[in-house]
Each structure stands twice: as C-alpha cells, then as structure tokens.
Amino acid sequence: MSGKKDCDKEGCSALELIDFKNALEQFQNLVEKMIIQKTKESSGSYTNDDEIDYEKFHTTIQTLFGPTVKDQNVQAFFRKVMSNPNERPEWLEIFGCFTGESDGLSSPSKESMVLLVSEKQQITHSVVKRKDVIKGIVKVPLLHFTVTASQRGVLTMFSKKMKVLATIDVEDPTWITGCDFLPNLKYVVAVTESTVILWDYKSKESKSDGFVIKPMKNCLLCVCTVTMADDLAKDTILMGDDKGYVYLLTITSDDFIMKQSKAEKESQFKVLDSESFDIPKRKLHDDWVGKIRYFSALKRFGSCSTDSINSFILDDIKRLEDHLPVKEFSVPKGVNAFTYCGKAKVIVTGGNDRILRLWNPVVNFSPVGKLLGHKHSVVEIVTNEKDQHVISLSCAKVFRVWDIQTLSPLQVFYENHGTPEEMNAFPMVFDNDHGMLFTGSDVIDIYPLANVIQDLKELPQTHEKSLNVVLYNRAFHQILSICTESVLKVWDLETGSQIYQIEDAHGVKTEVTCAAIEINGVYLATGACDGTVKIWEFESGQEVKALPLAQHSSDEHRVLKIVYLKADEGQHAVVILDQRGKIKIIQGDSAQTDLYVTWVLPEIVPFPRRNPVVYLSLKPSSLKTQDFFPEIRLLCNTSSMRNDKETFLSSVGIKCFDVLKVEGCRLIATGSANGEINLWDFESASVKCLRKTTEDNQGSGVNAIFFLTHSVSSPRKRSSVSHIPSVRSDASPIPEQGSSLDLHEEENAKSDESNTEIKTEETTSRKNSQNPETSVQLLKAKAGQSPILASAHESSCIRLWSIQGNLMKELLPFSEHPSGPLTALCTDIFTKILLAGSKNGYIIRWNMASFLEDPQNEKNEIKEELCWRAHATEVVELFIEEEKNVVVTASIDGSVRLWHAMTGYYFGYFGQARKFELSDTSRLFLPSDVTDFPSIIKEESKHMEKKKVKYPLMLDKDKWKSLTRSPSDLEKAGHGEAAHGFKYFKALSPEKLQPLKTFEFVSKEAGAVFGFLPIYELENTSELSMPKSLQRIRAEKSSHKGQEKDPDSIEDLSQDK
C-alpha cells in the first residue's frame, strides 16, 4: 500500500510539473502576443481584432496559475510589458520574484558608510493590518510629524520621536494609493481608487473623523499638496489617475460646511459631493500617472508616467486650467520616480530603463548627466539636500546613494526583509532636518546618516607632487598653491574651484621653492631653486619683473624663504633667504627692467659666550639705496675666531627667518638647524643670540619662526611669507628724524664710513649713557605692546621669546598621540589664536589673547583648545581665515585641505569636484588617509600643575577607638592582627613624613591619567612599638601555654618597659 501511495505521489508531482511547464509556455506565448500588439500600435498598423487588454491578461493569468499570483504583481507585469516592449521582463516577476543585484554590492564593513544600515530602526506597531503594506510616507517639516498610509486603509500620525499620536482604520472597500498633509487646514489627505479622504487627526471624541469627497470618475493613483502661503484658510492638492489626467482641487474651510451631502445613515466620514467642487483636470500623459509632486522652490509641479513621449511634465499649475503647452521631458521606457535638488538645481528622474538622469529644469531636450548602476527598474528617488546626495531604490530592493556633484556612487545596500508583493510598493522619504531615510513596506525602516563619513574611494590630491607653498590673498579671497613640479594654481576659498594655473613659472624643470603676496594682494613674488626671483600680477598671472639667473647657479643659491617689504607701480622690495644662509633685499623700480640686490645681512656673527649680545655700528649712507635696513659690514676675521674659546659662531645653517617692520621697531629674526636664534634689532643697533642653554642642540632645530604683536584697537596688517604666512611691513619707510637709530648713525657718520666695527658691550653701554634720548625711546617702544618672537622646534615645542632675549614661555602639545616636530606656525589677524603644524600631520590650536595683553601676569595663560590630524604626512604650511572661520593646511602629500577652525571638522580639499559647504558643520567628515578624531581640550588652566600634596591618608584615632574590639576579642584573635593594623598607620605618622612635589594631571577629557599617588620620604626608619596593654595580654598568653619566648618579642618587651 505504501508503495502504491509513493507511486501516486510521484505521478502527481510529475503531472504537476508537466502542467506548470505547459502553463508557463502558454504564458510566454501570451507575452509574445502582447509585445507584437504594442509594436504594431507604435507603427500604426494595428487593428483592434483580438486585442489583449488588462482584463483579458488578468483572466488568462488566473486561469493558468491560479490564486498563487497576486493581483498587484499581474498589474505591475502588464504595465512593464506594455511600456517597454523592447525589454522583456523575467517570468519570475509575475510571481513577485526578482533576481538580485549582486554585482556592485559591498559589505558594510568595507563600504563608504553614508547611511548606517547596521543602526537601522524599525517601527512595527499601529502601522498596517495583516498582509498589508505602506503605500505612502510623508514628513511634515514645521510640525515634525510623520504620516503613513497603508494599502488597506490604516492612517497613522507619528510624533518627532516616532510615537503614535493618532491612527484610524478607514472603512472603505477600495485601497489607499497615496497620502499627504494639508498644512493650512491641518488635515491628512489620502486618495483611494474612487474617493478623496480628509482625516482630522485631532478629532478624538467627535462624531466624525473627517470628510470624504466622492465619487471620483477615474482611479486616483497619487496625490500631493501645493505649498503656497497665500491663504491660511485653504489648501490646494494635485492628483493623478490611471488615464493620464492630473487634477487640481482647492479645498477651503467653508467647504466642510457648505458642500456636505445628506447621508442616509451615520458614517465614519462626512460626505462631500465631488460634483459641488470645481476640479480642473488635464490629460498630460498617455499612461498612468505614477507620481506627482510640487516644488515650491521652482513654483512648478511635476508628474511622471511610463509613457515614452510625455514621460515627465514640469510646469506651473496654471497650465491645468489654461491648457497652454507644457514642458515635456521624453525618456525611453518612461519615468517611475523623480525628485529635485535645490542646492544643485537639478531634476533627477528614474524609470524602467534603470538609468538615473539629471536635468536642468529649464532644458528639456537633453539631460546634463546620467547615473548608471541599477540592474532593475527604479521605483523611488529622494534627495539629501544638505549633502547633495540622491538615494534611489530599484524594484529588487537595492538602495544606491549617489553624489550629484561628482556623479559617483557612494553606497549600495540591499533590503532583504518582507514579502514579494511589497516590492512594487516601497515608498521612501528623506528627512533633511534630522538626516534620516524613511522607507515603508510592512514596517517603517529608519536609516540614520553617519555622523562620521570617511571617503575610502578618493584620496585628496590638489597637486600631483608634494607642495612647497600655500598662501592666502585676503584682498581677493583666493588661495595660491605651488608644488615641486612648479605648477602654480589659484583657487577660490569659498567654493574650492580653480581660477587659473601657471606651469613652469621659472622655466622648464626649475622648481619654485617659495612665494609671498604683498599686503594689498596685487603682486606676487616667487623664488626658485636656481636663485631667480620673479614678480607677478596676482589677478592676471602676468610676469612684471625678474632677478636674472646667476652665472654660477647651483643649489647654494636656492631661495628658501621670501618676504614682501614694499610693492607699488614704481618700486618692489623683497627679502629672501638662500641655501647658504644669506639674507638679501632685492629691489626693482620703474627705471630698471630687472630686479637687483641692494642689501645683504651677514650670515655668521661671533658672540661672547658669557653674554651673547653684540652691538653694531651701522652705515647710514646705505639708506640712500634702500630705506628698509641699514648696511652692516663685519671687519673682524671670523675664520680666526673659530678656535677662540671665549666666543662662538652662530647663524650656521639658517632654515627660516621673519621680519617685523612697524613704527618704532625694525627686527629680523633667523632660526638655525642647531636651535639658535639670532635677533637683529636695528633700532638698538644690536644682534642677540637666543638659545636654551640646558638643551641638547641636536634635537632643538628651529623649523619656523614668527613675530607676535598684540593690537587692541585694530588687527595687525600683514602679508604673506613663504613658510610663515605673515609679514609685518608698511608700504612707507619709517621716518628717519628723531629716531634713536639716526642719533646713533649721526655720531658714527663723523668718522670714516669704511671704518665700521663691531662694538663691545662696554663701548655701547657708555655710548647709550651719553645719549639718554636713545634709551628712553627704546623703552617706549618696548613697553606695553612689545613684540614677542615665537619659534617652532624639532623637539615638538614652541618657545616664546621677548625681544630682550628672555625665554618667556615654552609650549608642549597635549594630545593622545605624539605630534612630532613642529614645522609651521601662523596666527589670526588679531593675534589671538596660534596654530602649529607638525611633521606627523597634526594641527594644534592655542588661545593666547589674555597672555599677550599682559605677558608678565602669571594668571594670563596660553590655553590649548584643539588638536586634530589633518594629514598623514608633514604639514608644510597653514593659515587661518577669520571671516569664514576656516583653516587651510598643505602637506607633502600633495593636498591642500580645508577645516573648521573651532572644531577641526573636514570640509574637503582643493581640486575636488564638489563645492565646499562651509555652513554645514553638523557632521564629522574624515579624509581617506586620516582616522583620528579631533580632540577638543576643555581645560581652563594648565595641563600640568605643580602641587604639594600633604598627607592624604590620616589616622582618625577617635574613629579607630570606636571600631577597636575589646581585649577579650583581641585575646581570641591574637596580638598579630592588632599589631599589624597599628603598624600600617604608624608608617603614615605625620611626624615622620615630608611631602614631596608631585605632578597631577587635571585634564580628564583629554584621556590622561588622573590623580597620581604622592611620593613620601621617611627621615628615619620608624621603630615598631606595641601598646602596653597588648604586651601584657601577649605575655600572659605565652606564659599560660608554656611556650618559649621568642628573642625578638623579649627584646621588644624590654624596650617598652
């Protein structure tokens, strides 16, 4: 019997298989007939004999496959075949099955996370009925509400935190096809196949839940609200139907009273007669209206259809009444979804051809871009306005995130939950206020945007080679960048777009090593590896003047740094530093076609070891050729002084310099590879050697040097330096009359001009005593607003020096990771913020406003506020722009990057396709080569404080007595335990301790260890003594047991007695 049953089962299954194959073959023949019919319709040769319409197609499918095929899958398949006869759908789609888009899907751990799929939230309660799907999701911006409508008639209103505020089950036999919110009347509007429902979500105990407008002649498929604030008592809605018509319906508050129809019995909604409304309509499409939306920014509405001719319509709502021509966009195989990005000002459409097209709203004959990647029909598109991203969804439940600016894919993920019938009904909306993507199926899925976005696909690159120069032209708000290949580029700071570029500025294969912009931003000076210097017009990029190439040009003539002193139509003057350590002034005037050298600063100076200060006699006649710095000549033989133990030679291996030329102050500071700094003061006619004697010179080399001047009334004027983007020079020279320098020069001018010499300290001090006016004026220049010199060192520290040569402050970066040697310095125009860049790519920010107001006050500290990693390699230069509140950094990695000055958030890099969004600081972006997050230091005082800790552990004798056990308990427990307790506190006896100085870290936020235990030192070894009561108990116990006494205990008892 069992064998017969098995044979019957096998025969039945084989018969079923044969029946399914026959049914499938008949189904494919039916599809072939439909394709032939559609092709003949397009050519105009079709007759209506044996026409296959939807009713006949649906009946045939039910006969072949039975109730296993869902109506909505049959409907979707029919639409796809009739709209796309050239592309035959897979037969699996009639059963709601799709082949997945496996290609191009990346794992969440490796992808560039834009939407956090792993942190998806689901809302399941009070949304849909059983075997129901969500047909519409709407975000209400001002009220922060979310409205959902399910196919079987469940309308739900959610709060900002996605809690249910109100819900209703619509008693309507037809299905809901779409919903929206009326902002003025405060109603939820939903359309069904034959009615328009107006739900009053605030009516909880009233007799009616709202109104229903019926009957509607055609099947309504979509609805949207026209957002216009011209009348607060009315709302306008747009609707599309299955015949290609678009309806315009205006509803006022009076209509709820005046246009009610008499109902025979009480119902859920009060009925409004559709015949009493003036509803203009116009046939815009030759197929179903898939979606309809109104764009308030364009003051236009859009509607789409699978029609290949009138695929997408974008025009004013007045066209629905006046029947004037409308703007049509034709797309092969039609449009299923569309959206508008206000920032990019583009319309994005998608349809059955699986291509996303970007359109200019005013140009309808050709798209401006295409996005390829989907393998199935696109059914929904939304826009992330803030980031200018487009999120598209295919019928296979594959999400793709695109960048509109770069036309590149950012993320792909797949939604695998749900049943097959949900794939054709998958609404989606993006909440731009909170950065969340909402999708609907049998549940609501919420995908949050990533708070930290790291672009793993694109390495920031502004130049192909490493950078030498980055400067900021404050007059034009433009940035200059120069790489080692001598490619000069100019960028717009706000947008990041390139303005122009110059290649081979100093000749083929001649590296441009440094540059400077004069204070008015009109002229640019560049220096090259062969020693040449050129002057350019910044705006046009035209060459003005040049310093000719030297006859014996070599690497020794390489220009390291350049500073602009003066620039106008008649004269140009710059200060340069070459590879040999020579500092020169190069000038050019209208009478000369080329630039020429007018002044040279001695590169080697012998200093006394006891007091490294040398006073100079200056040559006044040199000011006739250049009016910036007087000439200095060294008559002593420096080579003979190399073996002199009483002197040392400084300024060996000069790496950087800075110039300060303001009223009452003319200074040049140079930094060397051995850590020594020479400060040339031309007002006091002296040169000082600044160095920290307690440090090994091997690791203290000076990489950057910078003058700091505090101005209360107005920001300090400056132009750019090659390595340090600042200059202090006025366009006009300093008046010569009445200055201390002139008194000094007039007295020296009486002697022979060639007989200049280096004065010793005694000679100059005697001279200053004979000229009291000189010392008075120097005191006035140095009082109150005395400049400060900042130097960045290989030892990762910044030192602040007074112009008298004293070390005022030493700053060390306080960060989780070592920053490495500091390589660049800059300040803002008010000299309140100090920024430093390091060899490891870190940027450190200090606030020094209070310190510069009164450097002598110990309470005025320099506070470190922020530290972040900007590059993976060495920072070459940086500057801060106060108006935009941004920091620009450049590195040897070839990129120039833009950061938020207060938070260290990444905006992008110069050279990227996307424009900068400087107003968006809500989310943290990271470049592909940086993984460290910015560290905000919230410390209000120093990071490390020196304290004296006094006895944190003390013995409370009263409390100890209350806790001490009775003598009988001690006798049972033995003497050892009590002695051990007293021994512990005896070691901490205050009389035997001396507190030592300890360090305590007080920055909890920075991740440092908090609260080290203090270190104690005992003067003498404390002798352990036992109280007499315990000695007596111990003696009695030992004699009672008859044990021999321990020698140590006998000795202790004898000592106590």
Side-chain angles (χ1 to χ4, degrees):
M1 295 293 293
S2 61
K4 289 183 179 180
K5 290 182 179 179
D6 294 339
C7 291
D8 293 340
K9 289 181 180 179
E10 292 176 1
C12 291
S13 60
L15 183 60
E16 290 176 359
L17 181 61
I18 294 173
D19 291 342
F20 180 76
K21 287 183 177 179
N22 293 331
L24 184 59
E25 185 177 353
Q26 295 180 33
F27 168 72
Q28 291 175 345
N29 293 333
L30 178 64
V31 173
E32 289 288 346
K33 291 180 180 180
M34 292 172 58
I35 294 175
I36 295 172
Q37 172 185 320
K38 187 65 177 178
T39 305
K40 289 183 178 180
E41 285 181 359
S42 301
S43 61
S45 60
Y46 175 72
T47 59
N48 292 331
D49 300 338
D50 197 18
E51 179 183 3
I52 302 176
D53 56 3
Y54 175 72
E55 294 296 335
K56 188 174 182 179
F57 179 76
H58 181 270
T59 304
T60 306
I61 295 299
Q62 292 293 331
T63 304
L64 292 175
F65 300 109
T68 56
V69 179
K70 303 298 182 182
D71 291 344
Q72 59 187 21
N73 293 329
V74 176
Q75 190 180 67
F77 192 92
F78 180 81
R79 289 181 57 191
K80 187 175 291 186
V81 171
M82 300 305 290
S83 60
N84 305 307
N86 296 328
E87 182 180 356
R88 181 181 303 176
E90 296 288 340
W91 63 268
L92 288 171
E93 295 185 23
I94 198 69
F95 299 97
C97 299
F98 297 86
T99 55
E101 296 182 20
S102 58
D103 297 339
L105 290 178
S106 56
S107 60
S109 59
K110 296 181 181 180
E111 67 185 352
S112 175
M113 298 300 292
V114 180
L115 294 169
L116 298 178
V117 182
S118 60
E119 298 184 11
K120 177 184 70 176
Q121 304 176 18
Q122 284 191 350
I123 309 297
T124 59
H125 57 281
S126 302
V127 179
V128 293
K129 297 179 181 180
R130 184 182 178 185
K131 295 184 179 180
D132 197 3
V133 292
I134 296 174
K135 293 291 291 183
I137 301 179
V138 177
K139 295 295 296 184
V140 184
L142 297 179
L143 300 178
H144 300 291
F145 290 161
T146 303
V147 181
T148 62
S150 72
Q151 192 176 49
R152 294 184 181 270
V154 178
L155 300 177
T156 310
M157 176 74 75
F158 292 91
S159 66
K160 180 180 179 180
K161 297 182 179 180
M162 293 306 294
K163 295 182 178 180
V164 178
L165 296 177
T167 184
I168 186 175
D169 187 0
V170 178
E171 299 173 359
D172 197 301
T174 56
W175 286 354
I176 289 179
T177 55
C179 69
D180 208 334
F181 185 79
L182 304 180
N184 296 330
L185 298 177
K186 301 295 188 294
Y187 276 77
V188 174
V189 57
V191 293
T192 67
E193 295 177 359
S194 59
T195 61
V196 179
I197 299 172
L198 302 173
W199 173 43
D200 184 6
Y201 65 93
K202 302 182 295 299
S203 61
K204 296 182 179 180
E205 299 179 357
S206 61
K207 297 181 180 180
S208 175
D209 293 318
F211 303 90
V212 57
I213 302 175
K214 64 181 183 179
M216 303 299 290
K217 294 181 179 180
N218 296 332
C219 178
L220 300 179
L221 299 177
C222 52
V223 64
C224 77
T225 303
V226 178
T227 54
M228 293 187 299
D230 54 349
D231 193 346
L232 298 179
K234 71 175 183 179
D235 277 300
T236 303
I237 61 175
L238 295 169
M239 299 174 291
D241 68 2
D242 59 344
K243 301 297 183 181
Y245 285 91
V246 175
Y247 299 81
L248 179 65
L249 173 60
T250 301
I251 304 173
T252 65
S253 57
D254 296 336
D255 294 337
F256 298 148
I257 303 173
M258 303 298 295
K259 298 182 180 181
Q260 287 191 29
S261 62
K262 295 181 180 180
E264 298 179 358
K265 58 179 181 179
E266 292 187 1
S267 61
Q268 187 180 20
F269 298 101
K270 295 180 181 180
V271 179
L272 303 179
D273 189 4
S274 61
E275 298 294 334
S276 62
F277 288 89
D278 181 19
I279 308 178
K281 68 176 182 178
R282 182 175 179 181
K283 185 175 178 61
L284 299 177
H285 304 277
D286 294 331
D287 205 342
W288 299 350
V289 180
K291 285 183 175 58
I292 190 166
R293 290 179 183 174
Y294 182 79
F295 303 118
S296 56
L298 298 175
K299 296 182 180 180
R300 298 287 187 272
F301 80 95
S303 63
C304 67
S305 173
T306 53
D307 180 14
S308 298
I309 305 300
N310 303 323
S311 307
F312 175 65
I313 304 296
L314 182 67
D315 218 314
D316 197 296
I317 59 174
K318 297 178 181 179
R319 301 292 85 80
L320 299 176
E321 300 180 88
D322 56 22
H323 293 278
L324 294 177
V326 295
K327 184 173 292 185
E328 302 170 348
F329 296 75
S330 298
V331 177
K333 303 179 183 180
V335 173
N336 291 334
F338 61 92
T339 187
Y340 173 68
C341 181
K343 281 189 175 180
K345 297 181 180 180
V346 294
I347 295 283
V348 184
T349 63
N352 295 321
D353 64 348
R354 303 165 296 181
I355 300 175
L356 296 182
R357 290 175 172 84
L358 281 67
W359 306 82
N360 188 322
V362 299
V363 180
N364 62 344
F365 54 84
S366 177
V368 296
K370 293 182 180 181
L371 301 174
L372 306 177
H374 279 291
K375 295 186 176 181
H376 292 84
S377 299
V378 178
V379 296
E380 189 62 271
I381 308 173
V382 294
T383 305
N384 176 1
E385 281 283 347
K386 185 178 293 185
D387 300 324
Q388 300 185 45
H389 292 168
V390 167
I391 305 167
S392 58
L393 171 66
S394 72
C395 58
K397 285 190 176 180
V398 176
F399 295 81
R400 290 182 179 269
V401 184
W402 313 81
D403 191 329
I404 298 179
Q405 294 290 330
T406 61
L407 300 181
S408 60
L410 300 177
Q411 184 182 12
V412 183
F413 61 95
Y414 174 69
E415 184 55 63
N416 54 9
H417 76 82
T419 56
E421 59 263 21
E422 301 162 17
M423 297 185 183
N424 294 319
F426 213 55
M428 184 168 61
V429 65
F430 189 83
D431 185 2
N432 284 285
D433 295 333
H434 304 93
M436 293 182 179
L437 177 67
F438 289 74
T439 63
S441 54
D442 57 339
V443 296
I444 298 177
D445 293 327
I446 305 175
Y447 300 91
L449 278 177
N451 292 323
V452 179
I453 296 180
Q454 188 165 19
D455 188 2
L456 300 179
K457 300 180 180 180
E458 193 173 18
L459 183 67
Q461 189 177 46
T462 307
H463 291 260
E464 294 183 359
K465 299 295 182 179
S466 62
L467 284 158
N468 285 338
V469 178
V470 163
L471 299 175
Y472 180 50
N473 190 328
R474 296 182 180 273
F476 294 96
H477 300 285
Q478 295 173 0
I479 291 176
L480 169 72
S481 62
I482 305 175
C483 68
T484 55
E485 272 193 334
S486 298
V487 178
L488 184 151
K489 296 183 180 181
V490 177
W491 312 86
D492 181 72
L493 174 65
E494 188 171 1
T495 62
S497 58
Q498 183 176 338
I499 299 174
Y500 69 84
Q501 78 176 37
I502 301 174
E503 298 181 1
D504 299 325
H506 283 248
V508 180
K509 296 183 179 180
T510 302
E511 179 185 355
V512 179
T513 56
C514 57
I517 301 174
E518 59 99 6
I519 194 169
N520 297 317
V522 179
Y523 295 100
L524 164 70
T526 58
C529 61
D530 57 358
T532 58
V533 177
K534 290 187 177 182
I535 306 294
W536 311 76
E537 284 187 357
F538 187 89
E539 187 174 11
S540 63
Q542 297 296 319
E543 182 180 337
V544 178
K545 289 181 181 296
L547 179 69
L549 183 66
Q551 294 182 356
H552 304 286
S553 178
S554 63
D555 289 340
E556 293 184 355
H557 293 85
R558 180 186 183 94
V559 182
L560 299 180
K561 309 295 172 189
I562 188 168
V563 174
Y564 232 117
L565 289 179
K566 183 179 180 180
D568 54 33
E569 295 181 357
Q571 185 180 14
H572 294 271
V574 295
V575 183
I576 68 165
L577 167 67
D578 62 16
Q579 187 73 36
R580 297 172 298 175
K582 287 188 176 182
I583 296 179
K584 309 173 186 178
I585 292 182
I586 298 176
Q587 289 186 249
D589 50 34
S590 57
Q592 300 288 335
T593 57
D594 296 329
L595 299 174
Y596 52 92
V597 179
T598 61
W599 182 83
V600 179
L601 185 70
E603 68 272 20
I604 299 177
V605 178
F607 286 100
R609 292 189 178 274
R610 296 182 179 180
N611 186 16
V613 179
V614 173
Y615 294 90
L616 309 172
S617 292
L618 308 177
K619 187 176 180 180
S621 61
S622 61
L623 293 178
K624 296 179 182 179
T625 57
Q626 53 86 24
D627 50 9
F628 302 102
F629 300 103
E631 185 177 344
I632 301 172
R633 292 184 181 178
L634 299 179
L635 299 179
C636 57
N637 188 3
T638 57
S639 59
S640 62
M641 301 179 65
R642 294 183 184 272
N643 298 325
D644 191 352
K645 297 182 180 180
E646 297 298 326
T647 62
F648 68 93
L649 299 178
S650 183
S651 303
V652 178
I654 297 177
K655 297 176 63 177
C656 54
F657 79 101
D658 198 15
V659 178
L660 179 64
K661 183 175 179 292
V662 294
E663 185 176 356
C665 192
R666 282 191 284 188
L667 301 171
I668 294 179
T670 62
S672 304
N674 60 0
E676 294 176 350
I677 300 171
N678 281 3
L679 181 61
W680 299 81
D681 189 344
F682 295 94
E683 293 293 331
S684 61
S686 64
V687 55
K688 305 179 183 67
C689 182
L690 314 180
R691 58 177 180 171
K692 191 175 180 181
T693 57
T694 59
E695 184 180 35
D696 183 13
N697 291 338
Q698 295 295 328
S700 62
V702 182
N703 293 326
I705 202 164
F706 195 87
F707 278 111
L708 306 174
T709 58
H710 179 67
S711 178
V712 179
S713 58
S714 63
R716 180 185 59 182
K717 292 183 179 181
R718 58 171 88 180
S719 63
S720 300
V721 194
S722 96
H723 189 71
I724 310 161
S726 67
V727 119
R728 321 3 162 211
S729 86
D730 297 331
S732 60
I734 302 174
E736 298 182 11
Q737 297 179 356
S739 65
S740 60
L741 178 63
D742 296 332
L743 295 176
H744 200 113
E745 291 172 351
E746 288 175 3
E747 188 168 327
N748 290 319
K750 297 178 182 178
S751 60
D752 189 8
E753 292 179 0
S754 62
N755 192 19
T756 58
E757 60 181 353
I758 298 180
K759 303 278 184 177
T760 61
E761 182 182 359
E762 295 180 359
T763 306
T764 310
S765 62
R766 183 169 60 251
K767 188 171 192 179
N768 289 335
S769 64
Q770 296 175 359
N771 295 279
E773 185 179 356
T774 302
S775 58
V776 171
Q777 292 184 358
L778 285 175
L779 289 175
K780 287 182 180 180
K782 297 175 182 178
Q785 303 299 328
S786 178
I788 295 175
L789 182 64
S791 58
H793 295 261
E794 282 283 334
S795 56
S796 303
C797 70
I798 293 179
R799 291 172 186 160
L800 302 181
W801 310 82
S802 66
I803 59 174
Q804 291 80 18
N806 301 321
L807 180 61
M808 304 176 64
K809 186 77 66 175
E810 188 170 8
L811 305 177
L812 284 171
F814 188 77
S815 60
E816 182 179 357
H817 304 283
S819 61
L822 301 182
T823 56
L825 287 175
C826 78
T827 66
D828 61 333
I829 58 176
F830 298 99
T831 323
K832 294 182 179 180
I833 301 299
L834 177 64
L835 289 173
S838 74
K839 197 169 186 177
N840 293 344
Y842 287 90
I843 306 297
I844 306 99
R845 170 192 169 114
W846 286 275
N847 188 331
M848 56 188 312
S850 60
F851 174 78
L852 289 182
E853 289 178 358
D854 187 6
Q856 304 301 326
N857 191 349
E858 296 182 356
K859 295 182 179 181
N860 296 338
E861 296 291 337
I862 299 177
K863 304 170 186 177
E864 183 178 349
E865 296 179 332
L866 184 65
C867 178
W868 78 93
R869 191 165 195 177
H871 301 267
T873 54
E874 178 183 345
V875 176
V876 177
E877 292 194 34
L878 75 163
F879 67 85
I880 181 172
E881 210 286 337
E882 300 79 11
E883 183 179 353
K884 306 294 183 184
N885 202 17
V886 295
V887 173
V888 177
T889 62
S891 172
I892 60 175
D893 60 10
S895 66
V896 181
R897 305 180 184 182
L898 189 67
W899 310 83
H900 191 265
M902 300 303 297
T903 60
Y905 282 15
Y906 178 61
F907 287 122
Y909 66 95
F910 290 89
Q912 67 181 18
R914 167 188 293 273
K915 293 182 180 180
F916 294 142
E917 292 292 338
L918 303 183
S919 59
D920 182 17
T921 58
S922 58
R923 287 187 295 143
L924 175 60
F925 288 77
L926 290 178
S928 59
D929 55 348
V930 173
T931 57
D932 300 337
F933 300 113
S935 301
I936 299 178
I937 311 299
K938 298 180 179 179
E939 173 87 35
E940 292 297 331
S941 58
K942 296 180 183 178
H943 302 295
M944 187 177 287
E945 293 183 354
K946 222 172 202 181
K947 292 185 177 181
K948 284 188 177 181
V949 183
K950 294 185 177 181
Y951 321 122
L953 298 176
M954 300 292 293
L955 174 61
D956 190 345
K957 295 183 179 180
D958 296 333
K959 197 169 184 178
W960 176 260
K961 289 179 181 179
S962 63
L963 298 175
T964 304
R965 291 173 288 182
S966 62
S968 60
D969 295 334
L970 289 173
E971 183 179 359
K972 294 177 183 179
H975 307 291
E977 184 178 350
H980 179 74
F982 276 99
K983 179 180 180 181
Y984 174 73
F985 285 101
K986 274 285 186 179
L988 301 176
S989 177
E991 292 80 5
K992 302 296 183 180
L993 299 179
Q994 284 186 349
L996 296 179
K997 294 180 180 179
T998 63
F999 290 98
E1000 179 182 353
F1001 291 89
V1002 296
S1003 177
K1004 294 182 181 180
E1005 293 81 1
V1009 180
F1010 181 78
F1012 281 116
L1013 288 176
I1015 302 172
Y1016 294 94
E1017 183 180 23
L1018 300 178
E1019 289 183 350
N1020 299 317
T1021 304
S1022 59
E1023 298 178 353
L1024 178 63
S1025 60
M1026 186 180 295
K1028 295 182 179 181
S1029 58
L1030 293 179
Q1031 294 176 12
R1032 184 173 63 256
I1033 293 173
R1034 183 176 181 180
E1036 292 175 357
K1037 183 177 180 180
S1038 59
S1039 61
H1040 177 71
K1041 292 182 179 180
Q1043 297 176 354
E1044 294 183 359
K1045 296 183 179 179
D1046 186 56
D1048 296 335
S1049 63
I1050 297 176
E1051 184 178 356
D1052 292 340
L1053 292 172
S1054 63
Q1055 289 177 357
D1056 292 337
K1057 293 180 180 179

